[in-house]
């Protein structure tokens, strides 16, 4: 699992077209399954360990970076956003 400074988040959510795919996991502290140690956190950790060399996994607290949540139209948590070729994919 990759931990990031909030100031680094926007550039990482716009990876270069030739870079590896990225998976952004949007979560909230009040949502038990997605908070640290929750069921969804375990799933994301497992995926990161299994595919880490081939993809970038980001953990994004949606309420901590509202501008990023708006950018990805995050309305509920947990939500996954996939970034391929430098652009978000549904």
């Amino acid at each position: 699992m990759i931990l990031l400074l909030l100031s680094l988040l926007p550039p990482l959510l716009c990876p270069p077209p030739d870079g590896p795919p990225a998976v952004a996991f949007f979560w909230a502290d009040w949502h038990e399954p997605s908070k640290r140690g929750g069921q969804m956190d375990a799933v994301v950790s497992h995926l990161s360990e299994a595919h880490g060399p081939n993809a970038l996994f980001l953990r994004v607290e949606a309420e901590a970076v509202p501008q990023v949540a708006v950018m990805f139209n995050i309305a509920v948590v947990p939500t996954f956003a996939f970034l391929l070729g430098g652009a978000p994919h549904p």
Side-chain angles (χ1 to χ4, degrees), residues 17-69:
D18 59 346
V23 179
F25 169 55
F26 289 87
W27 67 285
D29 191 48
W30 51 263
H31 185 257
E32 289 295 323
S34 67
K35 68 190 291 184
R36 294 200 186 278
Q39 295 166 331
M40 292 304 297
D41 183 56
V43 170
V44 173
S45 293
H46 176 76
L47 290 171
S48 176
E49 291 169 10
H51 301 285
N54 302 314
L56 177 64
F57 286 81
L58 308 167
R59 193 173 206 292
V60 184
E61 186 174 4
E63 294 172 340
V65 284
Q67 70 279 17
V68 175

Side-chain angles (χ1 to χ4, degrees), residues 4-16 22 56 58 68 71 83 86:
L4 303 166
L5 296 173
L6 294 180
S7 63
L8 298 177
L9 190 59
L12 286 172
L13 289 175
C14 297
L56 177 64
L58 308 167
V68 175
M71 185 171 86
L83 298 102

